[in-house]
Amino acid sequence: SAAKLFFAYGLGNALTFPMSVGATTVLNPERPTPAAMFALMNKYNPSIFYGVPTLFAAMLNDESLKAQRGGARLRVCTSAGEALPESVGNAWKTRFGVDILDGVGSTELLHIFLSNAPGDIKYGCSGRPVPGYNVRLVNEAGADVPDGEVGELLVDAPSAGEGYWNQRSKSRRTFEGHWTRTGDKYIRDADGRYTFCGRSDDMFKVSGIWVSPFEVESALITHPAVLEAAVVPEADSEGLLKPKAFVVLRAGAKTDGLDGALKEHVKQKIGVWKYPRWIETVEALPKTETGKIQRFKLRDGDTAKP
């Protein structure tokens, strides 16, 4: 309908949700640069905009597009693919006057299963379970963990897949009766909201304490010199894992003394044991076509190209 126009550059929920209510969807198959996104939004004037965190951040930080407002009918945005940093959500709300509803879903479950909702938004977290979906957080032994402790997220979903095609071992590891293992580490607060910590293979311990790469990255991007950041584990001279950060700097950022300034900034934000012991400046972070940071490439030393 003319009253409901969705805009997205990918498929998934951005296609199926509008179809369920008879709305119009605009899909962009081209590279989603900030200039291209604003041009299409101005042309089609959507009421809902689907994106990923790196796209929202890029649209906010392009100095040549500061006058853009995203269209007069824009009333809400949604984000998935990766966790939305709190600073990006707040900056978007300040500039555009609309919220970003951050949530998490997966191919295995087809649908978003944790999400913020209108009137129930807390930036920096993935929200609460979507009606119809049950979730658990479990430790390495498979036992439920209490509020405030990190655990792997399991989902009981009516939309879950049966398994992976011709991958029996992986299917058995992922689909456990009613429950599907997501491979994501989360922490639940006393209000029942879930905050993303990292992928299970991205998480690591420093001095016996779990370190969330996402938490360190979110702290780094609040520094005025940093545009993007990614954190991976690196072994020190004693073979102990510590955080290593790769950062993309904003245009014109001063580099004198920046290494020490960023370390101190993270210490003040989230704690002295979580700060990156090494910081490497790169021109771009490796990403998938949909904008997800490929941390495994950084762990493997591939920092040359996105």
Side-chain angles (χ1 to χ4, degrees):
S1 77
K4 297 178 181 177
L5 179 61
F6 293 71
F7 177 78
Y9 70 87
L11 292 172
N13 293 336
L15 179 60
T16 58
F17 283 11
M19 287 176 63
S20 71
V21 295
T24 300
T25 306
V26 178
L27 297 172
N28 172 43
E30 305 300 329
R31 183 169 177 265
T33 65
M37 293 300 99
F38 279 122
L40 289 168
M41 292 174 77
N42 290 333
K43 178 179 179 180
Y44 292 104
N45 200 17
S47 57
I48 300 178
F49 174 63
Y50 286 79
V52 294
T54 52
L55 177 60
F56 287 116
M59 293 171 73
L60 282 167
N61 291 304
D62 193 315
E63 293 294 330
S64 66
L65 300 169
K66 287 295 185 183
Q68 296 291 333
R69 290 295 177 266
R73 292 199 304 145
L74 187 65
R75 63 179 179 83
V76 72
C77 302
T78 72
S79 177
E82 283 205 308
L84 180 76
E86 180 180 1
S87 58
V88 175
N90 285 326
W92 188 274
K93 177 64 180 290
T94 297
R95 176 171 164 184
F96 296 98
V98 300
D99 281 307
I100 301 175
L101 305 181
D102 186 31
V104 59
S106 71
T107 301
E108 292 84 354
L109 299 168
L110 180 66
H111 196 280
I112 296 287
F113 47 81
L114 284 178
S115 184
N116 286 270
D120 186 23
I121 296 172
K122 182 180 179 182
Y123 285 124
C125 80
S126 298
R128 308 177 198 266
V130 171
Y133 290 78
N134 297 312
V135 303
R136 299 169 58 199
L137 295 181
V138 300
N139 59 22
E140 288 86 350
D144 291 317
V145 302
D147 293 347
E149 290 191 15
V150 175
E152 182 181 353
L153 183 70
L154 274 61
V155 184
D156 178 5
S159 58
E162 294 292 329
Y164 299 102
W165 182 256
N166 286 338
Q167 298 186 64
R168 185 168 183 266
S169 295
K170 185 177 181 181
S171 296
R172 295 180 68 181
R173 290 194 305 270
T174 303
F175 301 98
E176 300 180 350
H178 291 286
W179 298 98
T180 300
R181 288 187 172 271
T182 65
D184 291 325
K185 295 283 191 179
Y186 268 85
I187 191 167
R188 181 182 58 247
D189 66 20
D191 294 325
R193 290 188 173 92
Y194 290 75
T195 297
F196 179 70
C197 297
R199 293 288 298 169
S200 295
D201 53 1
D202 288 332
M203 296 283 291
F204 56 98
K205 286 186 175 181
V206 174
S207 301
I209 300 174
W210 281 114
V211 170
S212 163
F214 176 69
E215 185 182 20
V216 182
E217 293 160 5
S218 295
L220 282 166
I221 64 173
T222 63
H223 191 281
V226 178
L227 179 63
E228 293 181 319
V231 171
V232 299
E234 179 87 357
D236 64 12
S237 59
E238 298 179 345
L240 301 174
L241 295 180
K242 299 290 190 299
K244 178 178 181 178
F246 297 84
V247 298
V248 178
L249 301 181
R250 295 178 184 272
K254 297 180 180 179
T255 58
D256 291 345
L258 184 59
D259 188 279
L262 290 179
K263 292 177 180 178
E264 187 62 31
H265 181 75
V266 174
K267 289 179 185 179
Q268 294 297 322
K269 282 282 185 179
I270 59 174
V272 295
W273 68 91
K274 298 179 182 179
Y275 80 95
R277 277 38 168 202
W278 309 272
I279 298 176
E280 183 173 332
T281 300
V282 294
E283 293 187 2
L285 298 174
K287 298 173 185 174
T288 66
E289 291 182 356
T290 57
K292 292 183 182 180
I293 296 173
Q294 296 174 308
R295 291 173 184 81
F296 72 92
K297 288 189 175 182
L298 299 175
R299 292 196 299 267
D300 294 342
D302 183 3
T303 62
K305 291 193 179 293

